[in-house]
Amino acid sequence: MENIAFGLIVAITLGSALMVVMTQQLLYSAIALLFTLFGVAGLYIFMWADFMAGVQIVIYIGGILVLLIFGIMLTNKISSVNISHTSLQRRVGAVITLGVLGFLIPMITNTSWLQLSSEEPAQTADSIGRLLMMEYLLPFEVASLLLLGALIGAAMLSRNTN
Amino acid sequence: MDNLQTYLYISAILFSLGLYGVITRRNGIAVLMGVELILNSANINFVAFARFGGMNFSGQVFALFVIIMAAAEAAVALAIIINVFNNLDTVNIDDARELKL
């Protein structure tokens, strides 16, 4: 049962990721990206990272994807019914991509990875919160500063100067 | 399902697909989608090493930082793309090659 669910999630993730980069309709790409992000959230749950899965759904699907769809809507004329986008140099891209994949797959297969058997954690959000507030306090504060800078920068860039 | 390699394979394939999108797409927003795929594949690796490699929760915290960065990057990139569209009437990144209008 678990194996079937895992295979299904992997198939959804990779299949819709393929659609993101292949389809000629920009909105289809965005919708396919939604399924990819959901699939990745499912993979997180299989890795006992349920808090990360929640964050993935809230920030990626609720935030970034909506922002992307906003961008698609704002950069196309309403009159143009077909919001299509073309690809170029498919052959060159495929060669480079397969080259990278041909390097990564044997590397993963041949390396003897250290695998520790760990136990399923009782609570994840609690431990992550403790780490953020104690060990990683400085990166946490820097991240909040980065978000503030991005907020002001994006508002400055996109305001109408006229 | 219960070993590290499975997740590394998935993340490698996701990375390659994102790279393919970044290379071949001409629309700026579609390139951004490719970047999101690459960031997601990096996140899968972080969480996988947190689960199997003994990094415990530090790996998940790093993935959290990557998600924060992705949100900031998407906001700024979309502001830039909308600016390019207002000035050039296109989001085709091949046409945006001049620094000054």
Side-chain angles (χ1 to χ4, degrees):
Chain A
M1 193 62 209
E2 239 180 346
N3 283 321
I4 297 170
F6 184 73
L8 209 66
I9 286 174
V10 172
I12 287 175
T13 310
L14 296 182
S16 53
L18 192 69
M19 199 169 157
V20 171
V21 293
M22 287 300 181
T23 178
Q24 295 300 319
Q25 299 281 326
L26 195 48
L27 266 178
Y28 290 179
S29 285
I31 302 300
L33 190 63
L34 181 132
F35 287 102
T36 310
L37 297 175
F38 254 119
V40 173
L43 288 179
Y44 287 164
I45 289 175
F46 270 98
M47 290 184 275
W48 301 338
D50 44 1
F51 178 73
M52 288 300 302
V55 168
Q56 167 93 0
I57 288 173
V58 170
I59 296 183
Y60 259 110
I61 297 174
I64 296 175
L65 195 67
V66 171
L67 216 58
L68 282 174
I69 293 176
F70 252 121
I72 295 171
M73 297 296 177
L74 285 174
T75 54
N76 283 285
K77 301 269 189 295
I78 301 294
S79 53
S80 61
V81 182
N82 258 350
I83 306 176
S84 65
H85 56 160
T86 50
S87 302
L88 79 169
Q89 295 170 333
R90 277 174 180 268
R91 216 164 286 162
V92 179
V95 168
I96 294 174
T97 304
L98 288 177
V100 170
L101 202 61
F103 167 74
L104 283 177
I105 296 289
M107 190 269 284
I108 294 170
T109 314
N110 295 330
T111 309
S112 57
W113 298 97
L114 168 76
Q115 284 208 41
L116 305 170
S117 58
S118 47
E119 295 193 354
E120 193 168 347
Q123 67 236 120
T124 52
D126 181 84
S127 315
I128 290 175
R130 270 171 211 284
L131 271 181
L132 273 180
M133 279 296 130
M134 289 155 90
E135 235 179 302
Y136 296 104
L137 186 60
L138 183 66
F140 181 71
E141 296 294 340
V142 172
S144 62
L145 214 60
L146 172 82
L147 278 179
L148 181 68
L151 180 74
I152 296 172
M156 277 285 290
L157 276 175
S158 57
R159 83 193 160 134
N160 204 344
T161 42
N162 301 327
Chain B
M1 196 184 98
D2 264 335
N3 66 57
L4 180 63
Q5 265 110 328
T6 317
Y7 294 100
L8 294 186
Y9 285 133
I10 295 167
S11 125
I13 295 170
L14 211 58
F15 176 84
S16 314
L17 285 171
L19 187 67
Y20 180 78
V22 171
I23 293 172
T24 57
R25 288 305 200 192
R26 312 180 71 192
N27 189 314
I29 296 172
V31 173
L32 206 58
M33 288 181 193
V35 174
E36 300 297 343
L37 286 185
I38 291 177
L39 288 172
N40 263 293
S41 83
N43 264 351
I44 291 178
N45 266 6
F46 270 128
V47 178
F49 281 113
R51 157 82 171 78
F52 298 101
M55 268 174 86
N56 289 331
F57 286 103
S58 291
Q60 295 190 25
V61 171
F62 267 88
L64 207 59
F65 284 129
V66 172
I67 290 181
I68 293 172
M69 227 202 54
E73 166 252 319
V76 175
L78 280 171
I80 292 172
I81 288 171
I82 288 172
N83 245 354
V84 167
F85 178 74
N86 284 338
N87 286 321
L88 302 175
D89 247 357
T90 177
V91 281
N92 195 336
I93 45 174
D94 294 329
D95 296 335
R97 58 187 132 197
E98 271 146 39
L99 286 175
K100 209 173 167 198
L101 284 175

